[in-house]
Amino acid sequence: MDIWEILYKKASEQYCPVDVSPFVTAHHVACAIEAENGEIYTGFCIESCSGVMNLCAERVAALNMYLTSGQTRIKRLVACRDEPPAGNGGFPCGACREFLYQLDERNEDMEILVDLEARKTVTLKEITPYWWGKKRYAEWKEKQ
């Protein structure tokens, strides 16, 4: 079993759609990420009808990583529903792309699985070209 199968298995364990209340749903998208040190973290989406509380599975997994270990660098990411990513599936939404970049600029090189069977991946940089925050990161690094 390679790392992509392991990540998909971990993510799919989080997939179990549920109505938490008449206003909140959860677990209909799941995610697993491999941190820089090789540890795996998972997350699932949670959404409310107000829109204020909505969190995608990718952001929850990244937050779990940071809260648990203090890590910010992600090597690999798999997001899924009831089936593995196939064709061109598994892309993080715009809010997640932005958060992953803001969490750590080096995440631009993370691999995102878009087809499990073909082992096709893309990087965050490929799907978010011309990211606006590069200048701010450069200025921040100069102050460190």
Side-chain angles (χ1 to χ4, degrees):
M1 187 177 295
D2 70 4
I3 187 62
W4 295 115
E5 290 171 355
I6 292 167
L7 288 169
Y8 171 67
K9 182 178 183 298
K10 293 284 189 183
S12 65
E13 291 169 359
Q14 297 294 315
Y15 179 81
C16 56
V18 63
D19 292 330
V20 177
S21 77
F23 308 99
V24 177
T25 61
H27 289 275
H28 59 275
V29 177
C31 179
I33 58 175
E34 180 187 8
E36 183 173 40
N37 72 354
E39 292 178 12
I40 296 172
Y41 298 89
T42 60
F44 56 85
C45 67
I46 185 163
E47 298 178 347
S48 70
C49 65
S50 70
V52 174
M53 190 175 138
N54 297 351
L55 284 173
C56 296
E58 295 92 334
R59 281 181 277 158
V60 172
L63 288 169
N64 281 337
M65 175 187 69
Y66 179 72
L67 290 170
T68 303
S69 68
Q71 295 180 85
T72 58
R73 175 81 166 94
I74 300 168
K75 289 173 29 177
R76 295 180 183 90
L77 179 147
V78 173
C80 64
R81 291 181 186 258
D82 56 339
E83 295 181 354
N88 282 317
F91 287 99
C93 73
C96 288
R97 294 175 195 191
E98 184 66 33
F99 179 75
L100 295 169
Y101 245 125
Q102 288 184 20
L103 186 61
D104 193 314
E105 180 183 29
R106 297 171 298 168
N107 286 337
E108 72 181 3
D109 296 322
M110 67 189 281
E111 291 181 277
I112 301 164
L113 185 69
V114 295
D115 190 314
L116 179 61
E117 187 175 325
R119 298 303 193 267
K120 181 181 176 188
T121 63
V122 296
T123 64
L124 182 60
K125 185 177 185 175
E126 288 175 309
I127 62 173
T128 315
Y130 313 111
W131 183 61
W132 67 272
K134 292 281 189 182
K135 182 179 177 187
R136 184 182 274 183
Y137 257 117
E139 291 168 352
W140 181 71
K141 286 176 189 175
E142 287 178 12
K143 294 177 185 176
Q144 300 296 313

